[in-house]
Amino acid sequence: MISQTAEYALRAMVFIAMNSDSPQVTEKIACGTKVPASYLSKILQLLAKSGLVKSQRGIGGGFILAAPPSKISILEIVNAVDPIKRIDTCPLDLSSHGVALCALHKRMDEAIQLVEQAFKKTTLREILSKPTKSIPLCETKLSTHRRTNH
Amino acid sequence: MISQTAEYALRAMVFIAMNSDSPQVTEKIACGTKVPASYLSKILQLLAKSGLVKSQRGIGGGFILAAPPSKISILEIVNAVDPIKRIDTCPLDLSSHGVALCALHKRMDEAIQLVEQAFKKTTLREILSKPTKSIPLCETKLSTHRRTNH
DNA sequence: GGATAATCAGACCTAGATATCCAATTTAAT
DNA sequence: ATTAAATTGGATATCTAGGTCTGATTATCC
């Protein structure tokens, strides 16, 4: 349904948003979101390429959001790493169908559209501010001051 | 979004439903739905195991629906080959979360639920009877009488 | 301003899952 | 018996997830 990669990307973005007071380093994000660090590194690169986060190398560097949480939808995040593709043309390319989709694929596309819309209207801010019993990811909000990483 | 396998299964079921006057043979279904025959064979077995189609070996055999099209939802078809899994527990199993989902995964699950519901209330019959410009799959409804398969 | 350490970026490799192919076997009808 | 079909199992390819190592960039400290 939703790829592992997309799930990871969402977790990372939420984590970065939750700790927006300072750039977050890959290792820390990985730890806080339980995503394998080596793989996460690649996902973060995709997010940076899509302009959702900004990266900064060197000491004190890491990743920060490129826009306020209210401006980032989870659709953008998903699309950055694993684009949701609508069915706009017949998957079997039957000449007789042309542009029009048959009833089956019309239904499929409608379902995809539902998800797309739901994702589009959900922003990071909503996720952060939502009053649920569990705070998103991570046991506790990590402190800012540096500490022995071991 | 929707796996290739699920897409194939749906096509096959629609095809069988459209040609319900006689058992449909793997080769014919493959041809009519543009699904690789060898792979389709395995998918049909899954559908048979789930009780959605009945199989008959030997001459005059093939696959037929196990129930009227109005009783078969496309959710059942998808679930037979590639089950849609709701998010019912925290994907990072954080002790602090327990049963409750955080805002992020609550949203994800809601999206999945939308699809699940949409699929649940769409039956094969609806797909067959829907007035669209294109009939589902296949160029023309295949004729029943046997013919040189080549 | 140069050495050093922190950090991202990128290339390459491995394992597992998904998709596809092929041949041998079983079942049923004529 | 012969023929037409599904069933089964294995072999192969392609994709996804994840790992490893090296290089490039940047900040800090002396």
Side-chain angles (χ1 to χ4, degrees), chain A residues 107-137:
Chain A
R107 287 303 177 115
M108 307 299 297
D109 185 55
E110 280 166 12
I112 297 173
Q113 188 180 14
L114 284 179
V115 178
E116 198 177 42
Q117 283 171 351
F119 281 6
K120 188 178 218 160
K121 70 179 173 203
T122 304
T123 69
L124 274 185
R125 203 180 80 78
E126 282 180 68
I127 303 249
L128 296 185
S129 64
K130 217 65 183 179
T132 38
K133 270 165 266 171
S134 314
I135 58 170
L137 347 157

PDB file of all heavy atoms in Angstrom, chain A residues 107-137:
ATOM      1  N   ARG A 107     -12.431   2.860 -11.371  1.00  0.00           N
ATOM      2  CA  ARG A 107     -12.596   2.628  -9.951  1.00  0.00           C
ATOM      3  C   ARG A 107     -11.255   2.645  -9.221  1.00  0.00           C
ATOM      4  O   ARG A 107     -11.122   3.222  -8.144  1.00  0.00           O
ATOM      5  CB  ARG A 107     -13.265   1.264  -9.697  1.00  0.00           C
ATOM      6  CG  ARG A 107     -14.719   1.237 -10.041  1.00  0.00           C
ATOM      7  CD  ARG A 107     -15.451   2.309  -9.251  1.00  0.00           C
ATOM      8  NE  ARG A 107     -16.860   2.343  -9.630  1.00  0.00           N
ATOM      9  CZ  ARG A 107     -17.835   2.027  -8.787  1.00  0.00           C
ATOM     10  NH1 ARG A 107     -17.564   1.678  -7.553  1.00  0.00           N
ATOM     11  NH2 ARG A 107     -19.076   2.091  -9.193  1.00  0.00           N
ATOM     12  N   MET A 108     -10.300   1.993  -9.796  1.00  0.00           N
ATOM     13  CA  MET A 108      -8.979   1.955  -9.173  1.00  0.00           C
ATOM     14  C   MET A 108      -8.439   3.369  -9.007  1.00  0.00           C
ATOM     15  O   MET A 108      -7.949   3.744  -7.954  1.00  0.00           O
ATOM     16  CB  MET A 108      -8.000   1.159 -10.045  1.00  0.00           C
ATOM     17  CG  MET A 108      -8.450  -0.226 -10.431  1.00  0.00           C
ATOM     18  SD  MET A 108      -8.721  -1.277  -9.007  1.00  0.00           S
ATOM     19  CE  MET A 108      -7.089  -1.341  -8.350  1.00  0.00           C
ATOM     20  N   ASP A 109      -8.578   4.133 -10.061  1.00  0.00           N
ATOM     21  CA  ASP A 109      -8.048   5.495 -10.009  1.00  0.00           C
ATOM     22  C   ASP A 109      -8.788   6.327  -8.974  1.00  0.00           C
ATOM     23  O   ASP A 109      -8.179   7.149  -8.277  1.00  0.00           O
ATOM     24  CB  ASP A 109      -8.151   6.148 -11.389  1.00  0.00           C
ATOM     25  CG  ASP A 109      -7.501   7.521 -11.400  1.00  0.00           C
ATOM     26  OD1 ASP A 109      -6.316   7.602 -11.036  1.00  0.00           O
ATOM     27  OD2 ASP A 109      -8.188   8.502 -11.740  1.00  0.00           O
ATOM     28  N   GLU A 110     -10.066   6.115  -8.859  1.00  0.00           N
ATOM     29  CA  GLU A 110     -10.833   6.853  -7.853  1.00  0.00           C
ATOM     30  C   GLU A 110     -10.297   6.563  -6.455  1.00  0.00           C
ATOM     31  O   GLU A 110     -10.195   7.458  -5.610  1.00  0.00           O
ATOM     32  CB  GLU A 110     -12.314   6.492  -7.947  1.00  0.00           C
ATOM     33  CG  GLU A 110     -13.040   7.222  -9.068  1.00  0.00           C
ATOM     34  CD  GLU A 110     -14.412   6.620  -9.369  1.00  0.00           C
ATOM     35  OE1 GLU A 110     -14.890   5.788  -8.566  1.00  0.00           O
ATOM     36  OE2 GLU A 110     -14.979   6.969 -10.417  1.00  0.00           O
ATOM     37  N   ALA A 111      -9.957   5.316  -6.222  1.00  0.00           N
ATOM     38  CA  ALA A 111      -9.420   4.942  -4.917  1.00  0.00           C
ATOM     39  C   ALA A 111      -8.084   5.638  -4.669  1.00  0.00           C
ATOM     40  O   ALA A 111      -7.824   6.168  -3.587  1.00  0.00           O
ATOM     41  CB  ALA A 111      -9.252   3.428  -4.836  1.00  0.00           C
ATOM     42  N   ILE A 112      -7.256   5.642  -5.678  1.00  0.00           N
ATOM     43  CA  ILE A 112      -5.964   6.311  -5.554  1.00  0.00           C
ATOM     44  C   ILE A 112      -6.163   7.793  -5.280  1.00  0.00           C
ATOM     45  O   ILE A 112      -5.495   8.393  -4.456  1.00  0.00           O
ATOM     46  CB  ILE A 112      -5.134   6.114  -6.830  1.00  0.00           C
ATOM     47  CG1 ILE A 112      -4.824   4.633  -7.048  1.00  0.00           C
ATOM     48  CG2 ILE A 112      -3.840   6.918  -6.769  1.00  0.00           C
ATOM     49  CD1 ILE A 112      -4.154   4.325  -8.354  1.00  0.00           C
ATOM     50  N   GLN A 113      -7.145   8.335  -5.973  1.00  0.00           N
ATOM     51  CA  GLN A 113      -7.441   9.755  -5.801  1.00  0.00           C
ATOM     52  C   GLN A 113      -7.854  10.076  -4.365  1.00  0.00           C
ATOM     53  O   GLN A 113      -7.482  11.113  -3.812  1.00  0.00           O
ATOM     54  CB  GLN A 113      -8.559  10.153  -6.761  1.00  0.00           C
ATOM     55  CG  GLN A 113      -8.798  11.652  -6.802  1.00  0.00           C
ATOM     56  CD  GLN A 113      -9.905  12.018  -7.774  1.00  0.00           C
ATOM     57  OE1 GLN A 113     -10.654  11.158  -8.223  1.00  0.00           O
ATOM     58  NE2 GLN A 113     -10.001  13.287  -8.106  1.00  0.00           N
ATOM     59  N   LEU A 114      -8.606   9.172  -3.771  1.00  0.00           N
ATOM     60  CA  LEU A 114      -9.015   9.361  -2.376  1.00  0.00           C
ATOM     61  C   LEU A 114      -7.795   9.536  -1.477  1.00  0.00           C
ATOM     62  O   LEU A 114      -7.725  10.444  -0.657  1.00  0.00           O
ATOM     63  CB  LEU A 114      -9.830   8.158  -1.892  1.00  0.00           C
ATOM     64  CG  LEU A 114     -11.261   8.044  -2.367  1.00  0.00           C
ATOM     65  CD1 LEU A 114     -11.906   6.785  -1.813  1.00  0.00           C
ATOM     66  CD2 LEU A 114     -12.049   9.266  -1.947  1.00  0.00           C
ATOM     67  N   VAL A 115      -6.843   8.650  -1.676  1.00  0.00           N
ATOM     68  CA  VAL A 115      -5.638   8.709  -0.860  1.00  0.00           C
ATOM     69  C   VAL A 115      -4.880   9.993  -1.146  1.00  0.00           C
ATOM     70  O   VAL A 115      -4.443  10.697  -0.230  1.00  0.00           O
ATOM     71  CB  VAL A 115      -4.730   7.500  -1.162  1.00  0.00           C
ATOM     72  CG1 VAL A 115      -3.453   7.592  -0.358  1.00  0.00           C
ATOM     73  CG2 VAL A 115      -5.456   6.211  -0.864  1.00  0.00           C
ATOM     74  N   GLU A 116      -4.762  10.305  -2.401  1.00  0.00           N
ATOM     75  CA  GLU A 116      -4.030  11.501  -2.792  1.00  0.00           C
ATOM     76  C   GLU A 116      -4.622  12.734  -2.116  1.00  0.00           C
ATOM     77  O   GLU A 116      -3.903  13.559  -1.545  1.00  0.00           O
ATOM     78  CB  GLU A 116      -4.095  11.646  -4.316  1.00  0.00           C
ATOM     79  CG  GLU A 116      -3.043  12.564  -4.878  1.00  0.00           C
ATOM     80  CD  GLU A 116      -3.107  12.619  -6.400  1.00  0.00           C
ATOM     81  OE1 GLU A 116      -4.227  12.688  -6.946  1.00  0.00           O
ATOM     82  OE2 GLU A 116      -2.044  12.595  -7.046  1.00  0.00           O
ATOM     83  N   GLN A 117      -5.943  12.837  -2.158  1.00  0.00           N
ATOM     84  CA  GLN A 117      -6.604  13.983  -1.543  1.00  0.00           C
ATOM     85  C   GLN A 117      -6.402  14.012  -0.036  1.00  0.00           C
ATOM     86  O   GLN A 117      -6.118  15.059   0.549  1.00  0.00           O
ATOM     87  CB  GLN A 117      -8.092  13.968  -1.878  1.00  0.00           C
ATOM     88  CG  GLN A 117      -8.377  14.446  -3.290  1.00  0.00           C
ATOM     89  CD  GLN A 117      -9.829  14.230  -3.690  1.00  0.00           C
ATOM     90  OE1 GLN A 117     -10.579  13.578  -2.972  1.00  0.00           O
ATOM     91  NE2 GLN A 117     -10.204  14.775  -4.836  1.00  0.00           N
ATOM     92  N   ALA A 118      -6.535  12.846   0.574  1.00  0.00           N
ATOM     93  CA  ALA A 118      -6.362  12.779   2.026  1.00  0.00           C
ATOM     94  C   ALA A 118      -4.954  13.221   2.406  1.00  0.00           C
ATOM     95  O   ALA A 118      -4.756  13.964   3.368  1.00  0.00           O
ATOM     96  CB  ALA A 118      -6.616  11.357   2.518  1.00  0.00           C
ATOM     97  N   PHE A 119      -4.001  12.795   1.631  1.00  0.00           N
ATOM     98  CA  PHE A 119      -2.605  13.147   1.914  1.00  0.00           C
ATOM     99  C   PHE A 119      -2.346  14.624   1.644  1.00  0.00           C
ATOM    100  O   PHE A 119      -1.560  15.255   2.317  1.00  0.00           O
ATOM    101  CB  PHE A 119      -1.657  12.305   1.077  1.00  0.00           C
ATOM    102  CG  PHE A 119      -1.462  10.916   1.612  1.00  0.00           C
ATOM    103  CD1 PHE A 119      -2.199  10.465   2.697  1.00  0.00           C
ATOM    104  CD2 PHE A 119      -0.534  10.064   1.036  1.00  0.00           C
ATOM    105  CE1 PHE A 119      -2.025   9.188   3.199  1.00  0.00           C
ATOM    106  CE2 PHE A 119      -0.353   8.781   1.539  1.00  0.00           C
ATOM    107  CZ  PHE A 119      -1.103   8.341   2.606  1.00  0.00           C
ATOM    108  N   LYS A 120      -3.005  15.115   0.636  1.00  0.00           N
ATOM    109  CA  LYS A 120      -2.761  16.501   0.240  1.00  0.00           C
ATOM    110  C   LYS A 120      -3.220  17.469   1.318  1.00  0.00           C
ATOM    111  O   LYS A 120      -2.583  18.481   1.576  1.00  0.00           O
ATOM    112  CB  LYS A 120      -3.510  16.789  -1.064  1.00  0.00           C
ATOM    113  CG  LYS A 120      -3.180  18.130  -1.686  1.00  0.00           C
ATOM    114  CD  LYS A 120      -3.947  18.291  -2.997  1.00  0.00           C
ATOM    115  CE  LYS A 120      -3.118  18.987  -4.065  1.00  0.00           C
ATOM    116  NZ  LYS A 120      -3.640  18.740  -5.422  1.00  0.00           N
ATOM    117  N   LYS A 121      -4.304  17.142   1.959  1.00  0.00           N
ATOM    118  CA  LYS A 121      -4.834  18.110   2.915  1.00  0.00           C
ATOM    119  C   LYS A 121      -4.344  17.876   4.341  1.00  0.00           C
ATOM    120  O   LYS A 121      -4.799  18.539   5.259  1.00  0.00           O
ATOM    121  CB  LYS A 121      -6.362  18.159   2.841  1.00  0.00           C
ATOM    122  CG  LYS A 121      -7.077  16.954   3.367  1.00  0.00           C
ATOM    123  CD  LYS A 121      -8.593  17.188   3.240  1.00  0.00           C
ATOM    124  CE  LYS A 121      -9.355  15.922   3.610  1.00  0.00           C
ATOM    125  NZ  LYS A 121     -10.679  15.874   3.023  1.00  0.00           N
ATOM    126  N   THR A 122      -3.426  16.963   4.497  1.00  0.00           N
ATOM    127  CA  THR A 122      -2.823  16.783   5.816  1.00  0.00           C
ATOM    128  C   THR A 122      -1.420  17.372   5.816  1.00  0.00           C
ATOM    129  O   THR A 122      -0.576  16.981   5.025  1.00  0.00           O
ATOM    130  CB  THR A 122      -2.731  15.293   6.183  1.00  0.00           C
ATOM    131  OG1 THR A 122      -4.021  14.711   6.109  1.00  0.00           O
ATOM    132  CG2 THR A 122      -2.167  15.124   7.583  1.00  0.00           C
ATOM    133  N   THR A 123      -1.193  18.324   6.709  1.00  0.00           N
ATOM    134  CA  THR A 123       0.132  18.943   6.770  1.00  0.00           C
ATOM    135  C   THR A 123       0.889  18.421   7.985  1.00  0.00           C
ATOM    136  O   THR A 123       0.313  17.832   8.889  1.00  0.00           O
ATOM    137  CB  THR A 123       0.022  20.470   6.884  1.00  0.00           C
ATOM    138  OG1 THR A 123      -0.506  20.805   8.171  1.00  0.00           O
ATOM    139  CG2 THR A 123      -0.877  21.030   5.810  1.00  0.00           C
ATOM    140  N   LEU A 124       2.152  18.679   7.974  1.00  0.00           N
ATOM    141  CA  LEU A 124       2.989  18.299   9.107  1.00  0.00           C
ATOM    142  C   LEU A 124       2.489  18.955  10.391  1.00  0.00           C
ATOM    143  O   LEU A 124       2.499  18.347  11.457  1.00  0.00           O
ATOM    144  CB  LEU A 124       4.442  18.722   8.857  1.00  0.00           C
ATOM    145  CG  LEU A 124       5.323  17.751   8.084  1.00  0.00           C
ATOM    146  CD1 LEU A 124       6.748  18.259   8.043  1.00  0.00           C
ATOM    147  CD2 LEU A 124       5.288  16.380   8.738  1.00  0.00           C
ATOM    148  N   ARG A 125       2.060  20.190  10.250  1.00  0.00           N
ATOM    149  CA  ARG A 125       1.611  20.911  11.424  1.00  0.00           C
ATOM    150  C   ARG A 125       0.453  20.184  12.116  1.00  0.00           C
ATOM    151  O   ARG A 125       0.424  20.037  13.332  1.00  0.00           O
ATOM    152  CB  ARG A 125       1.162  22.316  11.041  1.00  0.00           C
ATOM    153  CG  ARG A 125       1.194  23.316  12.199  1.00  0.00           C
ATOM    154  CD  ARG A 125       0.741  24.682  11.749  1.00  0.00           C
ATOM    155  NE  ARG A 125      -0.700  24.755  11.680  1.00  0.00           N
ATOM    156  CZ  ARG A 125      -1.491  24.894  12.746  1.00  0.00           C
ATOM    157  NH1 ARG A 125      -0.953  24.986  13.940  1.00  0.00           N
ATOM    158  NH2 ARG A 125      -2.795  24.937  12.614  1.00  0.00           N
ATOM    159  N   GLU A 126      -0.478  19.709  11.286  1.00  0.00           N
ATOM    160  CA  GLU A 126      -1.612  18.981  11.854  1.00  0.00           C
ATOM    161  C   GLU A 126      -1.147  17.758  12.626  1.00  0.00           C
ATOM    162  O   GLU A 126      -1.652  17.445  13.691  1.00  0.00           O
ATOM    163  CB  GLU A 126      -2.545  18.537  10.744  1.00  0.00           C
ATOM    164  CG  GLU A 126      -3.432  19.633  10.221  1.00  0.00           C
ATOM    165  CD  GLU A 126      -4.326  19.096   9.131  1.00  0.00           C
ATOM    166  OE1 GLU A 126      -5.205  18.285   9.417  1.00  0.00           O
ATOM    167  OE2 GLU A 126      -4.103  19.461   7.950  1.00  0.00           O
ATOM    168  N   ILE A 127      -0.190  17.089  12.050  1.00  0.00           N
ATOM    169  CA  ILE A 127       0.319  15.876  12.705  1.00  0.00           C
ATOM    170  C   ILE A 127       0.949  16.221  14.040  1.00  0.00           C
ATOM    171  O   ILE A 127       0.771  15.522  15.026  1.00  0.00           O
ATOM    172  CB  ILE A 127       1.362  15.202  11.811  1.00  0.00           C
ATOM    173  CG1 ILE A 127       0.753  14.882  10.451  1.00  0.00           C
ATOM    174  CG2 ILE A 127       1.954  13.983  12.497  1.00  0.00           C
ATOM    175  CD1 ILE A 127       0.559  13.463  10.164  1.00  0.00           C
ATOM    176  N   LEU A 128       1.679  17.320  14.051  1.00  0.00           N
ATOM    177  CA  LEU A 128       2.374  17.701  15.276  1.00  0.00           C
ATOM    178  C   LEU A 128       1.404  18.141  16.364  1.00  0.00           C
ATOM    179  O   LEU A 128       1.611  17.863  17.542  1.00  0.00           O
ATOM    180  CB  LEU A 128       3.340  18.860  14.991  1.00  0.00           C
ATOM    181  CG  LEU A 128       4.483  18.536  14.040  1.00  0.00           C
ATOM    182  CD1 LEU A 128       5.437  19.715  13.946  1.00  0.00           C
ATOM    183  CD2 LEU A 128       5.225  17.296  14.485  1.00  0.00           C
ATOM    184  N   SER A 129       0.342  18.822  15.961  1.00  0.00           N
ATOM    185  CA  SER A 129      -0.524  19.456  16.950  1.00  0.00           C
ATOM    186  C   SER A 129      -1.705  18.590  17.347  1.00  0.00           C
ATOM    187  O   SER A 129      -2.468  18.948  18.218  1.00  0.00           O
ATOM    188  CB  SER A 129      -1.043  20.778  16.410  1.00  0.00           C
ATOM    189  OG  SER A 129      -1.855  20.527  15.289  1.00  0.00           O
ATOM    190  N   LYS A 130      -1.858  17.472  16.657  1.00  0.00           N
ATOM    191  CA  LYS A 130      -3.031  16.633  16.892  1.00  0.00           C
ATOM    192  C   LYS A 130      -3.039  16.085  18.315  1.00  0.00           C
ATOM    193  O   LYS A 130      -2.062  15.507  18.762  1.00  0.00           O
ATOM    194  CB  LYS A 130      -3.048  15.470  15.898  1.00  0.00           C
ATOM    195  CG  LYS A 130      -4.440  15.109  15.435  1.00  0.00           C
ATOM    196  CD  LYS A 130      -5.041  16.249  14.654  1.00  0.00           C
ATOM    197  CE  LYS A 130      -6.475  15.932  14.239  1.00  0.00           C
ATOM    198  NZ  LYS A 130      -7.036  17.068  13.494  1.00  0.00           N
ATOM    199  N   PRO A 131      -4.141  16.263  18.983  1.00  0.00           N
ATOM    200  CA  PRO A 131      -4.212  15.745  20.343  1.00  0.00           C
ATOM    201  C   PRO A 131      -4.549  14.259  20.372  1.00  0.00           C
ATOM    202  O   PRO A 131      -5.703  13.874  20.310  1.00  0.00           O
ATOM    203  CB  PRO A 131      -5.358  16.563  20.952  1.00  0.00           C
ATOM    204  CG  PRO A 131      -6.234  16.916  19.784  1.00  0.00           C
ATOM    205  CD  PRO A 131      -5.373  16.902  18.554  1.00  0.00           C
ATOM    206  N   THR A 132      -3.514  13.441  20.415  1.00  0.00           N
ATOM    207  CA  THR A 132      -3.738  11.998  20.574  1.00  0.00           C
ATOM    208  C   THR A 132      -3.020  11.554  21.831  1.00  0.00           C
ATOM    209  O   THR A 132      -2.229  12.286  22.392  1.00  0.00           O
ATOM    210  CB  THR A 132      -3.194  11.195  19.389  1.00  0.00           C
ATOM    211  OG1 THR A 132      -1.977  11.769  18.961  1.00  0.00           O
ATOM    212  CG2 THR A 132      -4.175  11.157  18.261  1.00  0.00           C
ATOM    213  N   LYS A 133      -3.272  10.351  22.181  1.00  0.00           N
ATOM    214  CA  LYS A 133      -2.643   9.842  23.389  1.00  0.00           C
ATOM    215  C   LYS A 133      -1.130   9.707  23.208  1.00  0.00           C
ATOM    216  O   LYS A 133      -0.354   9.945  24.109  1.00  0.00           O
ATOM    217  CB  LYS A 133      -3.266   8.503  23.781  1.00  0.00           C
ATOM    218  CG  LYS A 133      -4.459   8.654  24.724  1.00  0.00           C
ATOM    219  CD  LYS A 133      -5.258   7.371  24.805  1.00  0.00           C
ATOM    220  CE  LYS A 133      -6.411   7.404  23.797  1.00  0.00           C
ATOM    221  NZ  LYS A 133      -7.116   6.153  23.641  1.00  0.00           N
ATOM    222  N   SER A 134      -0.723   9.335  21.990  1.00  0.00           N
ATOM    223  CA  SER A 134       0.708   9.144  21.756  1.00  0.00           C
ATOM    224  C   SER A 134       1.280  10.308  20.964  1.00  0.00           C
ATOM    225  O   SER A 134       0.707  10.730  19.976  1.00  0.00           O
ATOM    226  CB  SER A 134       0.940   7.863  20.951  1.00  0.00           C
ATOM    227  OG  SER A 134       0.180   6.817  21.488  1.00  0.00           O
ATOM    228  N   ILE A 135       2.394  10.818  21.385  1.00  0.00           N
ATOM    229  CA  ILE A 135       3.075  11.793  20.553  1.00  0.00           C
ATOM    230  C   ILE A 135       3.689  11.047  19.388  1.00  0.00           C
ATOM    231  O   ILE A 135       4.013   9.870  19.499  1.00  0.00           O
ATOM    232  CB  ILE A 135       4.167  12.548  21.320  1.00  0.00           C
ATOM    233  CG1 ILE A 135       5.195  11.559  21.880  1.00  0.00           C
ATOM    234  CG2 ILE A 135       3.585  13.382  22.424  1.00  0.00           C
ATOM    235  CD1 ILE A 135       6.417  12.236  22.449  1.00  0.00           C
ATOM    236  N   PRO A 136       3.833  11.707  18.246  1.00  0.00           N
ATOM    237  CA  PRO A 136       4.354  11.006  17.078  1.00  0.00           C
ATOM    238  C   PRO A 136       5.754  10.476  17.342  1.00  0.00           C
ATOM    239  O   PRO A 136       6.593  11.201  17.861  1.00  0.00           O
ATOM    240  CB  PRO A 136       4.385  12.082  15.987  1.00  0.00           C
ATOM    241  CG  PRO A 136       3.448  13.133  16.454  1.00  0.00           C
ATOM    242  CD  PRO A 136       3.524  13.103  17.950  1.00  0.00           C
ATOM    243  N   LEU A 137       5.989   9.276  16.956  1.00  0.00           N
ATOM    244  CA  LEU A 137       7.287   8.612  17.082  1.00  0.00           C
ATOM    245  C   LEU A 137       7.959   8.865  18.422  1.00  0.00           C
ATOM    246  O   LEU A 137       7.361   9.359  19.343  1.00  0.00           O
ATOM    247  CB  LEU A 137       8.244   9.037  15.957  1.00  0.00           C
ATOM    248  CG  LEU A 137       7.765   9.786  14.752  1.00  0.00           C
ATOM    249  CD1 LEU A 137       8.912  10.526  14.137  1.00  0.00           C
ATOM    250  CD2 LEU A 137       7.220   8.798  13.748  1.00  0.00           C
TER     251      LEU A 137
END
